[in-house]
Amino acid sequence: MKQSFYDLNHSDLEMVLNQNDLNQSAAAILFNWHYKKKENAQCYEKIAKNSLVFFQNNFDFSLPKIDTVHESKDRTVKFLFKLKDNHKIETVLIPFHNKYSICLSSQVGCAMNCSFCSTGRQGLKRNLTTSEIVGQFLKAWRWLAKNRPGEERILNIVFMGQGEPLHNFDAVKKACEIFISKHGTSIGIQKITISTAGYIPGLKRWSQEIPGVNLALSLHSPFEEKRNELMPINKIYPLDEVLTYVDMIPLNKKQFITYEYLLIKDLNDSPDDAKKLATILADKVPI
Ligand code: SF4
């Protein structure tokens, strides 16, 4: 089976060209064609014929297929993508002033098993590849270009769809590298946010390997016992440890951490929950 072109970041592409005695300048041209111009046709810009033939023969340029599209009255667009092995994943375009944020999935199913989440109840089926992550973005962009011309501006990327992104770190990291590449979509690093349930091994890699990408930490309860019930990962990485670790991470200029809280009636919405939450977040609110 051919490797997907969309699994390569810019340096991978340069390395492939180098290893095959091809001109490295083709990397920037191909990246520009497929990510900046977002073309799906074969690249016909100034590129050596032997490089073009090499990529045609050795790489797969296909992307996940759109299975269904659901448009809401508020112009939110929900895509169900069908992957090559027939698994399905969701992607959402969230509008703001004729621009969009995109919510990407990172896994089929999820190992975190949060009690309020239908994806969690499926268990982890598999990780998405980088091409399947980047493919959600490219296909959603092309859908906008065709169906809402002039509005194909996806300015924010949030990894808040199916899966725990930090549990599929390598593929998510490479997708971020492709998104921020100046040869490609050139999305500002501060426009990307990764959501986590508090998976500490992934948090460590996030802080070291993709500094600048924002974090959204799902809390859902300030109490360890209640959080154990809602988010079983808390039994392995308790909230207290996660918050201590996150507090120690030096943030870049314009980088931020948000704390997410899903209000569930009669479960985590009491005055005691609110008071405890206020206590643990007291030193985290910007003045
Ligand atoms: S981490 Fe996210 S996707 Fe996974 S089970 Fe929890 S809420 Fe669902």
Side-chain angles (χ1 to χ4, degrees):
M1 203 165 70
K2 289 181 184 176
Q3 185 184 4
S4 173
F5 172 84
Y6 302 101
D7 278 331
L8 306 178
N9 64 20
H10 189 261
S11 11
D12 294 335
L13 197 47
E14 283 188 326
M15 199 171 68
V16 167
L17 288 159
N18 198 24
Q19 282 168 349
N20 290 279
D21 295 326
L22 297 166
N23 191 335
Q24 278 193 29
S25 65
I29 298 171
L30 285 167
F31 242 60
N32 186 71
W33 179 258
H34 290 288
Y35 291 115
K36 206 176 280 300
K37 295 189 173 167
K38 300 178 188 66
E39 297 284 353
N40 56 353
Q42 184 191 316
C43 177
Y44 56 74
E45 302 231 316
K46 281 183 192 153
I47 181 169
K49 182 124 193 255
N50 57 347
S51 299
L52 209 54
V53 170
F54 171 80
F55 278 99
Q56 269 175 314
N57 290 343
N58 296 289
F59 283 86
D60 174 17
F61 287 84
S62 64
L63 290 171
K65 290 191 167 49
I66 295 176
D67 191 59
T68 56
V69 182
H70 180 267
E71 296 178 69
S72 306
K73 276 189 191 147
D74 68 359
R75 299 175 62 72
T76 296
V77 190
K78 271 191 196 168
F79 298 94
L80 196 62
F81 283 104
K82 193 171 180 181
L83 307 175
K84 280 188 179 151
D85 57 5
N86 291 328
H87 282 308
K88 291 184 181 171
I89 49 162
E90 260 186 17
T91 306
V92 184
L93 280 172
I94 305 145
F96 64 99
H97 309 304
N98 292 342
K99 300 172 198 130
Y100 293 86
S101 291
I102 190 164
C103 176
L104 300 175
S105 291
S106 55
Q107 297 179 310
V108 181
C110 182
M112 301 298 132
N113 195 23
C114 299
S115 63
F116 51 84
C117 172
S118 61
T119 304
R121 283 194 288 276
Q122 293 172 33
L124 177 64
K125 304 269 194 264
R126 71 169 175 86
N127 284 330
L128 294 188
T129 60
T130 297
S131 53
E132 288 166 336
I133 297 171
V134 171
Q136 296 169 60
F137 177 95
L138 291 173
K139 290 297 278 270
W141 188 95
R142 283 181 202 153
W143 185 92
L144 282 174
K146 186 174 172 206
N147 296 283
R148 298 182 185 177
E151 287 189 28
E152 56 275 31
R153 286 181 295 170
I154 305 177
L155 301 189
N156 293 296
I157 296 176
V158 293
F159 284 89
M160 293 184 187
Q162 286 163 269
E164 160 61 56
L166 295 183
H167 195 221
N168 181 18
F169 191 84
D170 290 327
V172 168
K173 177 187 167 189
K174 199 164 271 193
C176 290
E177 289 165 349
I178 291 171
F179 290 136
I180 65 176
S181 168
K182 66 178 188 327
H183 303 291
T185 43
S186 307
I187 288 179
I189 197 162
Q190 72 279 8
K191 302 286 184 188
I192 303 178
T193 301
I194 288 180
S195 174
T196 181
Y199 180 63
I200 289 187
L203 273 172
K204 288 184 177 162
R205 292 193 64 190
W206 161 76
S207 62
Q208 287 157 14
E209 296 181 39
I210 38 176
V213 169
N214 301 312
L215 188 79
L217 177 61
S218 299
L219 298 177
H220 308 327
S221 174
F223 296 109
E224 299 284 1
E225 277 188 19
K226 210 183 282 186
R227 200 165 183 269
N228 285 345
E229 279 172 39
L230 287 169
M231 307 171 76
I233 191 180
N234 197 66
K235 294 177 197 162
I236 307 167
Y237 306 112
L239 182 59
D240 190 34
E241 268 178 44
V242 174
L243 289 172
T244 306
Y245 182 75
V246 167
D247 281 349
M248 289 184 323
I249 297 168
L251 298 180
N252 291 354
K253 214 175 159 191
K254 293 190 181 169
Q255 185 184 18
F256 57 84
I257 295 175
T258 47
Y259 299 88
E260 300 177 309
Y261 197 95
L262 179 72
L263 266 187
I264 306 172
K265 191 168 165 43
D266 298 331
L267 211 146
N268 63 2
D269 61 346
S270 70
D272 279 351
D273 290 307
K275 275 184 211 148
K276 178 75 174 171
L277 185 64
T279 311
I280 66 167
L281 293 183
D283 59 344
K284 298 175 184 20
V285 180
I287 298 166

